[in-house]
Amino acid sequence: MQTLPEFHRIRLFLKYLHIISSCLWVGAGFSVMVLLYLSRLAGSGDALFAFNVGIQYLDNFLIIPSAALCFLSGVALCLVANLRLTSCRWVVTKWTITVAAMVFGSLCLAPWMRRLAALSDVLGFGAFADPDYFRTYYVDVIFGVLQTIVLLYLMLISVFKPCTGYRNCVHCRERDNG
Protein backbone atom coordinates (compact mmCIF):
# COMPACT_ATOMS: atom_id res chain seq x y z
CA MET A 1 0.00 0.00 0.00
CA GLN A 2 1.39 3.39 -0.97
CA THR A 3 1.54 5.73 2.02
CA LEU A 4 1.84 9.43 1.47
CA PRO A 5 5.48 10.14 2.47
CA GLU A 6 4.77 13.25 4.53
CA PHE A 7 2.36 11.30 6.70
CA HIS A 8 4.61 8.34 7.56
CA ARG A 9 5.14 9.29 11.23
CA ILE A 10 1.51 10.27 11.65
CA ARG A 11 0.47 6.93 10.15
CA LEU A 12 2.74 5.08 12.58
CA PHE A 13 1.33 7.05 15.52
CA LEU A 14 -2.24 6.37 14.37
CA LYS A 15 -1.50 2.67 13.97
CA TYR A 16 -0.19 2.45 17.55
CA LEU A 17 -3.13 4.50 18.81
CA HIS A 18 -5.54 2.19 16.98
CA ILE A 19 -3.91 -0.94 18.40
CA ILE A 20 -3.83 0.40 21.96
CA SER A 21 -7.43 1.62 21.86
CA SER A 22 -8.69 -1.66 20.41
CA CYS A 23 -6.81 -3.61 23.08
CA LEU A 24 -8.32 -1.38 25.77
CA TRP A 25 -11.79 -1.92 24.30
CA VAL A 26 -11.43 -5.71 24.23
CA GLY A 27 -9.67 -5.85 27.61
CA ALA A 28 -12.28 -3.71 29.34
CA GLY A 29 -15.06 -5.79 27.78
CA PHE A 30 -13.41 -8.95 29.05
CA SER A 31 -12.98 -7.33 32.48
CA VAL A 32 -16.71 -6.62 32.57
CA MET A 33 -17.37 -10.30 31.90
CA VAL A 34 -15.03 -11.29 34.75
CA LEU A 35 -16.71 -8.84 37.12
CA LEU A 36 -20.15 -10.12 36.13
CA TYR A 37 -19.00 -13.64 36.92
CA LEU A 38 -17.49 -12.60 40.25
CA SER A 39 -20.61 -10.66 41.21
CA ARG A 40 -22.41 -13.99 41.57
CA LEU A 41 -20.05 -14.74 44.45
CA ALA A 42 -20.77 -11.48 46.29
CA GLY A 43 -21.29 -11.95 50.00
CA SER A 44 -23.59 -8.98 50.61
CA GLY A 45 -25.88 -6.53 48.87
CA ASP A 46 -23.24 -3.82 49.15
CA ALA A 47 -20.63 -6.04 47.49
CA LEU A 48 -23.04 -6.86 44.66
CA PHE A 49 -23.78 -3.17 44.18
CA ALA A 50 -20.03 -2.41 44.20
CA PHE A 51 -19.43 -4.98 41.44
CA ASN A 52 -22.20 -3.47 39.32
CA VAL A 53 -20.99 0.09 39.86
CA GLY A 54 -17.45 -1.03 38.97
CA ILE A 55 -18.83 -2.46 35.73
CA GLN A 56 -20.51 0.87 35.01
CA TYR A 57 -17.24 2.73 35.61
CA LEU A 58 -15.39 0.39 33.26
CA ASP A 59 -18.04 1.05 30.64
CA ASN A 60 -18.07 4.82 31.10
CA PHE A 61 -14.34 5.44 31.47
CA LEU A 62 -12.69 2.67 29.42
CA ILE A 63 -15.05 1.01 26.96
CA ILE A 64 -16.80 4.10 25.57
CA PRO A 65 -13.66 6.26 25.14
CA SER A 66 -11.57 3.40 23.74
CA ALA A 67 -14.30 2.40 21.28
CA ALA A 68 -14.60 5.99 20.08
CA LEU A 69 -10.81 6.37 19.85
CA CYS A 70 -10.54 3.07 17.98
CA PHE A 71 -13.17 4.18 15.48
CA LEU A 72 -11.69 7.65 14.97
CA SER A 73 -8.12 6.39 14.69
CA GLY A 74 -9.31 3.85 12.10
CA VAL A 75 -10.89 6.62 10.02
CA ALA A 76 -7.77 8.76 10.29
CA LEU A 77 -5.55 5.78 9.47
CA CYS A 78 -7.50 5.09 6.29
CA LEU A 79 -7.25 8.73 5.23
CA VAL A 80 -3.52 9.04 5.95
CA ALA A 81 -2.68 5.67 4.36
CA ASN A 82 -4.44 6.80 1.17
CA LEU A 83 -6.87 3.91 1.59
CA ARG A 84 -10.44 4.69 0.64
CA LEU A 85 -13.00 3.65 3.23
CA THR A 86 -14.77 1.36 0.77
CA SER A 87 -11.81 0.17 -1.30
CA CYS A 88 -11.23 -3.20 0.36
CA ARG A 89 -13.71 -5.78 1.55
CA TRP A 90 -11.92 -6.23 4.88
CA VAL A 91 -12.10 -2.48 5.55
CA VAL A 92 -15.82 -2.39 4.74
CA THR A 93 -16.36 -5.41 6.98
CA LYS A 94 -14.47 -3.76 9.83
CA TRP A 95 -16.47 -0.53 9.48
CA THR A 96 -19.78 -2.35 9.42
CA ILE A 97 -19.03 -4.60 12.39
CA THR A 98 -17.42 -1.81 14.43
CA VAL A 99 -20.38 0.52 13.99
CA ALA A 100 -22.79 -2.34 14.77
CA ALA A 101 -20.81 -3.23 17.92
CA MET A 102 -20.78 0.38 19.09
CA VAL A 103 -24.51 0.82 18.47
CA PHE A 104 -25.37 -2.49 20.15
CA GLY A 105 -23.20 -1.62 23.13
CA SER A 106 -24.78 1.81 23.45
CA LEU A 107 -28.38 0.73 22.99
CA CYS A 108 -28.39 -2.66 24.73
CA LEU A 109 -25.36 -3.57 26.84
CA ALA A 110 -24.93 -0.22 28.63
CA PRO A 111 -28.61 0.08 29.65
CA TRP A 112 -28.61 -3.53 30.87
CA MET A 113 -25.55 -2.79 33.03
CA ARG A 114 -27.21 0.34 34.45
CA ARG A 115 -30.32 -1.74 35.17
CA LEU A 116 -28.24 -4.31 37.06
CA ALA A 117 -26.71 -1.56 39.22
CA ALA A 118 -30.10 0.01 39.91
CA LEU A 119 -31.72 -3.31 40.81
CA SER A 120 -28.82 -4.36 43.05
CA ASP A 121 -29.03 -1.00 44.82
CA VAL A 122 -32.77 -1.43 45.48
CA LEU A 123 -32.90 -5.18 46.12
CA GLY A 124 -29.53 -5.66 47.79
CA PHE A 125 -28.40 -9.23 48.32
CA GLY A 126 -31.78 -10.63 47.25
CA ALA A 127 -31.27 -9.38 43.68
CA PHE A 128 -30.55 -12.87 42.32
CA ALA A 129 -33.93 -14.01 43.64
CA ASP A 130 -35.63 -11.35 41.50
CA PRO A 131 -36.53 -12.72 38.04
CA ASP A 132 -35.93 -9.34 36.38
CA TYR A 133 -32.39 -9.08 37.75
CA PHE A 134 -31.73 -12.74 36.91
CA ARG A 135 -32.90 -12.30 33.31
CA THR A 136 -31.00 -9.02 32.81
CA TYR A 137 -27.86 -10.55 34.30
CA TYR A 138 -27.85 -13.56 31.97
CA VAL A 139 -28.77 -11.53 28.89
CA ASP A 140 -25.89 -9.17 29.72
CA VAL A 141 -23.48 -12.08 30.20
CA ILE A 142 -24.49 -13.86 26.99
CA PHE A 143 -24.40 -10.78 24.77
CA GLY A 144 -21.30 -9.41 26.50
CA VAL A 145 -19.43 -12.61 25.68
CA LEU A 146 -20.69 -12.45 22.08
CA GLN A 147 -19.62 -8.79 21.85
CA THR A 148 -16.12 -9.70 23.10
CA ILE A 149 -15.87 -12.50 20.52
CA VAL A 150 -16.91 -10.07 17.79
CA LEU A 151 -14.21 -7.62 18.90
CA LEU A 152 -11.60 -10.38 18.82
CA TYR A 153 -12.79 -11.23 15.30
CA LEU A 154 -12.28 -7.59 14.30
CA MET A 155 -8.72 -7.77 15.59
CA LEU A 156 -8.18 -10.94 13.57
CA ILE A 157 -9.37 -9.14 10.43
CA SER A 158 -6.87 -6.34 11.13
CA VAL A 159 -4.01 -8.81 11.45
CA PHE A 160 -4.69 -10.90 8.32
CA LYS A 161 -6.37 -8.27 6.06
CA PRO A 162 -8.16 -10.93 4.00
CA CYS A 163 -8.81 -9.57 0.53
CA THR A 164 -9.63 -11.73 -2.43
CA GLY A 165 -9.65 -9.65 -5.56
CA TYR A 166 -12.23 -7.11 -4.40
CA ARG A 167 -12.72 -4.25 -6.84
CA ASN A 168 -10.29 -1.36 -6.32
CA CYS A 169 -8.56 -3.10 -3.40
CA VAL A 170 -5.12 -1.54 -2.92
CA HIS A 171 -3.77 -4.64 -1.16
CA CYS A 172 -4.97 -7.01 -3.90
CA ARG A 173 -3.48 -4.84 -6.66
CA GLU A 174 -0.10 -4.65 -4.89
CA ARG A 175 -0.09 -8.37 -4.18
CA ASP A 176 -0.96 -9.29 -7.79
CA ASN A 177 1.46 -6.77 -9.35
CA GLY A 178 4.34 -7.43 -6.96
Side-chain angles (χ1 to χ4, degrees):
M1 169 178 19
Q2 192 71 299
T3 304
L4 300 176
E6 64 270 13
F7 293 124
H8 181 69
R9 285 193 175 166
I10 294 172
R11 180 176 177 255
L12 191 62
F13 171 75
L14 287 172
K15 189 179 276 191
Y16 285 128
L17 190 64
H18 190 68
I19 291 169
I20 290 169
S21 62
S22 63
C23 287
L24 278 173
W25 189 7
V26 171
F30 185 72
S31 297
V32 165
M33 295 300 100
V34 169
L35 286 176
L36 277 172
Y37 172 75
L38 291 175
S39 70
R40 290 184 16 215
L41 308 173
S44 68
D46 291 337
L48 181 62
F49 180 67
F51 275 115
N52 288 323
V53 169
I55 289 169
Q56 273 189 297
Y57 282 137
L58 276 174
D59 187 44
N60 292 338
F61 297 112
L62 272 180
I63 293 176
I64 292 171
S66 62
L69 187 61
C70 185
F71 179 77
L72 294 174
S73 65
V75 170
L77 196 55
C78 279
L79 295 175
V80 169
N82 202 19
L83 179 69
R84 291 184 302 251
L85 299 179
T86 59
S87 64
C88 295
R89 185 175 292 150
W90 68 271
V91 175
V92 173
T93 303
K94 276 194 67 165
W95 288 121
T96 306
I97 295 174
T98 300
V99 169
M102 290 172 65
V103 168
F104 181 74
S106 300
L107 297 179
C108 296
L109 289 174
W112 291 336
M113 285 186 246
R114 282 192 298 272
R115 180 130 178 94
L116 287 178
L119 285 171
S120 66
D121 186 29
V122 171
L123 300 172
F125 194 60
F128 278 107
D130 183 53
D132 191 30
Y133 183 89
F134 188 75
R135 181 182 46 81
T136 305
Y137 173 82
Y138 278 106
V139 165
D140 207 10
V141 167
I142 290 168
F143 285 105
V145 167
L146 289 175
Q147 177 94 338
T148 304
I149 290 169
V150 165
L151 295 177
L152 289 172
Y153 175 70
L154 283 174
M155 291 177 109
L156 199 64
I157 289 174
S158 293
V159 169
F160 291 113
K161 297 175 181 61
C163 50
T164 55
Y166 189 60
R167 62 182 155 86
N168 300 327
C169 182
V170 176
H171 296 290
C172 289
R173 280 198 312 262
E174 285 182 3
R175 185 183 61 220
D176 295 339
N177 293 337

